[in-house]
Structures are given as C-alpha cells and as structure tokens.
C-alpha cells in the first residue's frame, strides 16, 4: 500500500497550445464517448432538438477505455450508503437500463445474484438486507411506489446450494438480489450513438482530442453580454509536435472524460488546488473447468471488511457471466502509479493481463466455489478504475459532479453562465448508472442552471 502516487497532471502543461479565438460555436460540447458521455449527449439531443450537441472522443470508436473493460453487471444498488449518489443513480439507472434494453433490443439478462457469506460474514449481508428493505425509489423513478426499490431476500446456505450446487459448504447464508443482471455494453453504446446521429441536433467526432480549454474572452464589450462559455481546442492525429488545433466556442461543456477526468480542470486550477487521481487496476480471468456445474447466477463474495479493508474500493473477486454464458472471475484490485506527471496515459501500459494474479485469484474464489482449478483460469482482460482517494483511505467516495463558470477563471459573463459540468470518479456502478447520470446532469444540474 505504501508508495502509491496520485497523478495531478494538467492538460497542455507544456504550453504547446496557445489561446485562439473561436470561429465556430456549439451549444453543448461533451468530452468523451464512453457510456456516460454518450448517455449525456443522447439526452441532450432528445431534450434540446434545436440546440447543437457535439461529442469529442480521442479514440476511433466509442468506449475504448473504462466502458469496455468492466464486469458489464447491471447492479441493483446494494452496497453504498443509502443517501449517496451511487445508490440513487444505480437504482434509477437500473430501471432506465432495463427499459432501454427492452425498447432497443440491447442484449441483456436479469440473471439475479447471490452475495454469499460464511458464518462470520452473516452480519454483513443482514445489514445489506436491512438497508435494502428501507430503500425508497429515488427522484424521477417511474416504477410503482408500492414495488420495492431494492428487493432482496436472505436465504440459508442450503437454499443457496439448491440454486448453485457447487457452492462451498462453508457458505452459511446468502443474500439473493433478483434485480441484478448483465448487459452487452457495446450494444448499449451503439444504441446511444445511433440516437445521437439520427437526431438533427447531435454529432460525434472520433479520433479527435481535446488539447486545451480556456474561459472564452469576449472581444468586444457588446459580445461580453451575450456570449459566455469555453474555448475548447481539438486536434486530430497523433503527431503532437506539429498538429494544428481547432478552437470551438462551447456554451456549455460536459466533461465525461473518465480516467482523464481531472486533467482539463487541473489545467485551469492553480497547482495547489489540482485534483489528484489514483488508478485501481482490476484483472479478470476466464474459466473453463470443473466446479461450476450449471451456474446461472452471478456469485459475489462479501467484500473484505477487515483492517486492510477494500470494502468500498472493490466488491471482491466475483463470478460473472457474459451474454454468451462464458464464466469469468474478477476484478481484483491493485493500485498503479505513474512514473512522472507527464506520464498521463501510463495506465495504458497496464492493460495487458498476465498470469501473476492467478494464484491469488484462485485462493479467493475457492473460498466459495471449492471445485475451481488453477489450470482452468486464464488471464482475460484488465480494466482501470478512476479513484479519487488513495488506497487505504477507507472512507466511502461518492461520484462527484462539479460545476465551474468562465467568470471564475477570468472569462466573460456572470456566475451561472456558460457552465462546465465535470464528472469525477465515475467508477462502478457507472455503467449501471449511466442513463440516470445523464438524467441527473442534464435535467437536474444543467436544467437547474439554465432556468
Ligand atoms: C474493473 C472495472 C469493473 C467495473 N464493473 C462495473 C460493473 O459491473 N457495473 C457497472 O455499473 N460499472 C462497472 N464499472 C464502472 C464503469 O465501467 C464505469 O463507471 C463507466 O464505464 C465509466 O464510463 P465513462 O464514460 O465515464 O468513462 P470512459 O468509458 O473511460 O469514457 C471516457 C472517454 O473520454 C475520452 N477522453 C479522455 N480524454 C479525452 C480528451 N482529452 N479528448 C477526447 N476524448 C477524451 C476517452 O478516450 C474515453 O473514451 C467497472 C469499472 C472497472 C474499471
Ligand atoms: C474533465 O473532467 C476531467 C475529470 O473527469 C478533468 O480531469 C478535466 O480537467 C475536465 N476537463 C475540463 C475541461 O474541465
Ligand atoms: C458440482 O455440482 C455437480 C452437480 O450437482 C456435481 O456433480 C459435482 O460433483 C459438483 N462439483 C463440486 C466440485 O462440487
């Protein structure tokens, strides 16, 4: 745990790109075409069909970073504090997710999930159950208020073994979550992309990077009163030395840049106010072998809540299924550090899965599925969690939504004009929550400012 560094880097720290006067303007600029940026853009196009919405993504297609390297689980919303945004947005997001999957034929399955407990861990699932029972539907929900927002059932070890015969006899009890499921995240992103492109309001630019962001400096005092926003410079291509940037005036910026989240904001903040980011690497292994006869539900252990607790850092190495019925275990958690502040994409070097984790993973999963063999585990893929707190910080960290205005940074306009809404720390359950994050950001935060 010692020696983990955060990264407090800022965009354009070399000063390579200078301020430019914009020649074109958009109403809404969304940074990042991960599942969250696409969901926000889709909602903007739907709610504001006469305004322009422009999504900028540095890769050649959507979801190349966090959104394609996760467990693809539609979480019920069990784990987080009752009054947190993570709970609120995963319950509402789950509802929106199943609705959208049905309406747009996005492959998904409501598998249900078992959180399995040994005798010593029984209290943990009893507490989850008690909290779940009290949970109410969050704002915007459309479900009948008489249906439970977070249905769960406590069952005995024997009942759990009837559902999953290969569970260890050490499992004394389990929490059954019928609302948990899995989704094909790529099909989900495709459905959002299609909505954006089919609308008159939206456009997507791939292979295009944001290289600099400034508050807009109006050129005349007349302009000062009607135009507020941000000058966002984009560049295409990898040649950072020679590339020319294009300045766009964005009246509102939605920053959904995932692992690069704080860099843009940091480029505007004084050094001591910069936001450091930590990176939690999670490895997955696929499994073929004995000990998983007829498995049809997701199986999660109780998170480690001991002295070196990761309870909020990771849910523990669990079993998930994909839409093809393939079994995988993961993700574990290992914090990784950059070599220097310039090394902003250092995490990309850590995406190659290796077999160094397999022994530990085998130890973890045989606690609840004792028939799993080491030989059946194969390194599969790796995902990186954007963490706002360093390892061992212990405390719960919620999603953060932060709004800044050009006037705070020497730009034109008054407070409340030309907002930039930044999304920080959108780790799990960010996929589940994506559609509810869009609703919250567009309807509640942006809607609250623009009226
Ligand atoms: C190991 C792991 C397991 C997870 N499991 C689950 C799960 O089972 N269920 C669940 O609900 N959630 C899960 N999550 C969380 C979920 O995957 C994320 O919350 C979600 O995918 C985040 O989406 P995003 O759009 O914010 O980020 P991303 O998908 O990373 O999108 C951000 C985009 O911004 C782009 N970008 C960045 N900087 C720039 C720039 N300067 N210019 C242009 N574009 C830029 C990037 O290229 C990227 O495409 C998991 C996460 C991890 C890491
Ligand atoms: C966008 O948000 C990320 C954090 O998610 C942050 O690093 C970056 O600075 C933000 N960009 C802008 C323009 O604020
Ligand atoms: C798994 O369950 C199957 C079917 O009940 C059984 O035949 C097999 O022996 C079990 N294997 C282990 C390792 O428990």
């Amino acid at each position: 745990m010692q020696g983990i560094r955060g990264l407090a880097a800022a965009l354009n720290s070399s000063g390579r790109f200078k301020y430019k006067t914009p020649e074109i303007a958009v109403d809404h600029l969304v940074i990042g075409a991960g599942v969250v940026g696409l969901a926000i853009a889709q909602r903007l196009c739907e709610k504001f069909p006469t305004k322009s919405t422009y999504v900028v993504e540095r890769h050649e297609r959507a979801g190349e970073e966090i959104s394609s390297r996760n467990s693809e689980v539609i979480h019920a919303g069990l784990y987080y504090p009752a009054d947190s945004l993570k709970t609120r947005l995963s319950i509402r997001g789950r509802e929106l997710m199943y609705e959208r999957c049905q309406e747009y034929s996005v492959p998904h399955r409501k598998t249900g999930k078992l959180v399995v407990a040994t005798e010593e861990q029984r209290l943990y699932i009893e507490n989850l159950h008690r909290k779940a029972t009290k949970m109410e539907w969050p704002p915007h929900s459309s479900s009948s208020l008489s249906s439970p927002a977070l249905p769960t059932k406590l069952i005995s070890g024997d009942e759990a073994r009837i559902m999953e015969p290969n569970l260890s006899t050490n499992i004394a009890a389990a929490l059954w979550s019928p609302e948990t499921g899995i989704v094909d995240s790529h099909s989900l992103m495709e459905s959002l992309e299609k909505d954006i492109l089919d609308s008159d309001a939206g456009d997507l630019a791939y292979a295009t990077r944001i290289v600099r962001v400034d508050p807009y400096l109006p050129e005349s005092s007349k302009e000062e009163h009607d135009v507020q926003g941000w000058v966002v410079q984009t560049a295409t291509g990898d040649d950072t030395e020679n590339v020319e940037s294009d300045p766009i005036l964005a009246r509102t910026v939605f920053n959904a840049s995932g692992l690069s989240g704080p860099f843009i904001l940091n480029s505007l903040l004084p050094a001591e106010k910069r936001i450091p980011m930590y990176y939690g690497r999670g490895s997955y292994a696929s499994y073929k072998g004995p000990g998983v006869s007829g498995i049809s539900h997701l199986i999660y252990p109780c998170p480690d809540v001991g002295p070196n607790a990761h309870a909020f850092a990771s849910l523990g190495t669990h079993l998930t299924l994909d839409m093809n019925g393939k079994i995988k275990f993961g993700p574990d958690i290992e914090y990784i550090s950059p070599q220097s502040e310039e090394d902003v994409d250092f995490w990309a070097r850590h995406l190659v899965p290796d077999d160094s984790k397999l022994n530990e993973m085998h130890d973890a999963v045989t606690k609840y599925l004792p028939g799993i063999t080491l030989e059946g585990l194969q390194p599969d893929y790796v995902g990186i969690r954007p963490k706002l707190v360093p390892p061992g910080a212990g405390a719960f960290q919620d999603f953060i939504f932060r709004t800044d205005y050009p006037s705070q940074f020497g730009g034109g306009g008054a407070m409340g004009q030309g907002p930039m809404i930044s999304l920080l720390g959108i780790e799990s359950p960010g996929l589940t929550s994506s559609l509810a994050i869009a609703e919250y950001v567009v309807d509640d935060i942006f809607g609250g400012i623009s009226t």
Side-chain angles (χ1 to χ4, degrees):
M1 291 296 194
Q2 230 81 67
I4 297 296
R5 300 179 43 160
L7 182 67
L11 202 65
N12 191 38
S13 54
S14 66
R16 157 82 180 73
F17 297 97
K18 308 285 182 238
Y19 184 83
K20 285 186 182 170
T21 304
E23 276 145 30
I24 53 167
V26 294
D27 294 307
H28 312 130
L29 185 121
V30 179
I31 307 175
V35 69
V36 174
L38 290 173
I40 290 175
Q42 188 269 341
R43 191 154 190 99
L44 287 166
C45 292
E46 192 177 281
K47 284 206 71 160
F48 303 101
T50 60
K51 300 220 164 155
S52 50
T53 294
Y54 188 51
V55 185
V56 179
E57 165 56 53
R58 62 177 169 176
H59 295 293
E60 304 211 339
R61 59 186 87 81
E64 288 284 278
E65 296 193 353
I66 317 177
S67 296
S68 57
R69 300 170 163 279
N70 58 66
S71 306
E72 301 193 295
V73 173
I74 303 175
H75 286 293
L78 288 178
Y79 292 99
Y80 307 102
D83 57 355
S84 63
L85 285 167
K86 282 186 177 172
T87 295
R88 163 181 170 175
L89 297 174
S90 61
I91 293 178
R92 173 63 177 146
R94 184 235 298 160
E95 181 182 46
L96 287 169
M97 183 72 74
Y98 284 124
E99 276 169 25
R100 184 170 185 92
C101 286
Q102 235 140 43
E103 196 173 329
Y104 289 78
S105 306
V106 175
H108 70 291
R109 191 142 56 89
K110 214 183 259 189
T111 54
K113 120 171 166 182
L114 289 166
V115 185
V116 297
T118 60
E119 196 51 57
E120 301 76 61
Q121 293 169 326
R122 188 189 284 272
L123 197 60
Y124 178 81
I125 58 171
E126 285 175 357
N127 283 336
L128 285 187
H129 178 60
R130 194 168 315 122
K131 193 184 69 186
T133 314
K134 285 195 227 130
M135 198 66 68
E136 285 171 18
W137 285 103
H140 302 295
S141 300
S142 56
S143 297
S144 138
L145 292 178
S146 58
S147 67
L150 194 40
T152 52
K153 193 175 167 209
L154 279 173
I155 62 175
S156 68
D158 287 338
E159 286 170 307
R161 277 180 293 273
I162 291 172
M163 297 172 76
E164 293 298 353
N166 285 159
L167 275 177
S168 162
T169 49
N170 292 333
I171 296 304
L175 187 67
W176 167 237
S177 162
E179 282 298 312
T180 301
I182 51 177
V183 58
D184 175 349
S185 55
H186 286 96
S187 304
L188 172 69
M189 287 189 277
E190 275 168 30
S191 85
L192 293 167
E193 237 180 335
K194 184 164 184 307
D195 270 5
I196 296 165
L197 293 172
D198 287 351
S199 80
D200 292 334
D203 213 347
L204 286 149
Y206 287 115
T208 305
R209 277 173 299 131
I210 307 285
V211 294
R212 178 174 173 132
V213 177
D214 294 275
Y216 175 57
L217 306 172
E219 290 184 326
S220 69
S221 57
K222 182 204 157 288
E223 233 186 350
E224 191 153 1
H225 298 287
D226 355 312
V227 187
Q228 296 85 31
W230 304 86
V231 180
V232 176
Q233 296 188 41
T234 64
T236 309
D238 283 335
D239 183 0
T240 20
E241 287 310 307
N242 300 306
V243 74
E244 271 303 308
S245 65
D246 297 311
I248 305 170
L249 170 66
R251 298 200 173 88
T252 309
V253 173
F254 297 85
N255 180 7
S257 59
L259 292 166
S260 309
F263 304 152
I264 301 174
L265 216 50
N266 282 348
S267 70
L268 298 162
L269 295 172
E272 70 281 5
K273 290 211 167 145
R274 287 188 181 168
I275 303 164
M277 282 261 288
Y278 301 88
Y279 298 79
R281 179 179 192 256
S283 301
Y284 290 86
S286 61
Y287 184 71
K288 274 211 184 87
V292 288
S293 296
I295 289 223
S296 61
H297 309 98
L298 310 185
I299 305 178
Y300 280 56
C302 289
D304 182 5
V305 286
N308 282 322
H310 278 151
F312 285 125
S314 157
L315 300 179
T317 301
H318 50 257
L319 176 146
T320 55
L321 303 163
D322 69 12
M323 289 307 301
N324 303 318
K326 184 177 113 177
I327 290 179
K328 58 194 176 181
F329 289 101
D332 55 6
I333 185 157
E334 173 199 7
Y335 282 85
I336 53 173
S337 304
Q339 240 121 49
S340 73
E341 291 289 290
E342 283 74 52
D343 197 12
V344 293
D345 287 330
F346 76 98
W347 53 267
R349 293 194 299 272
H350 295 266
L351 289 176
V352 182
D354 57 59
D355 52 18
S356 66
K357 291 308 185 60
L358 294 183
N359 271 312
E360 254 175 79
M361 200 172 271
H362 183 247
D363 286 347
V365 302
T366 46
K367 293 205 171 90
Y368 57 94
L369 285 170
I372 302 295
T373 60
L374 182 59
E375 303 72 54
L377 290 168
Q378 290 297 326
D380 196 3
Y381 63 98
V382 168
I384 313 284
R385 306 168 180 88
K387 292 277 182 191
L388 292 172
V389 287
F396 168 73
Q397 175 61 58
D398 212 347
F399 295 149
I400 293 184
F401 301 91
R402 149 178 185 153
T403 309
D404 292 279
Y405 297 97
S407 57
Q408 293 165 259
F409 302 95
M415 266 312 258
Q417 295 177 324
M420 170 160 69
I421 303 172
S422 299
L423 287 71
L424 299 163
I426 311 296
E427 52 172 335
S428 193
L431 170 64
T432 307
S433 307
S434 51
L435 301 170
I437 290 175
E439 183 178 61
Y440 179 65
V441 165
V442 174
D443 299 30
D444 298 346
I445 302 181
F446 183 50
I449 299 166
S450 51
T451 50

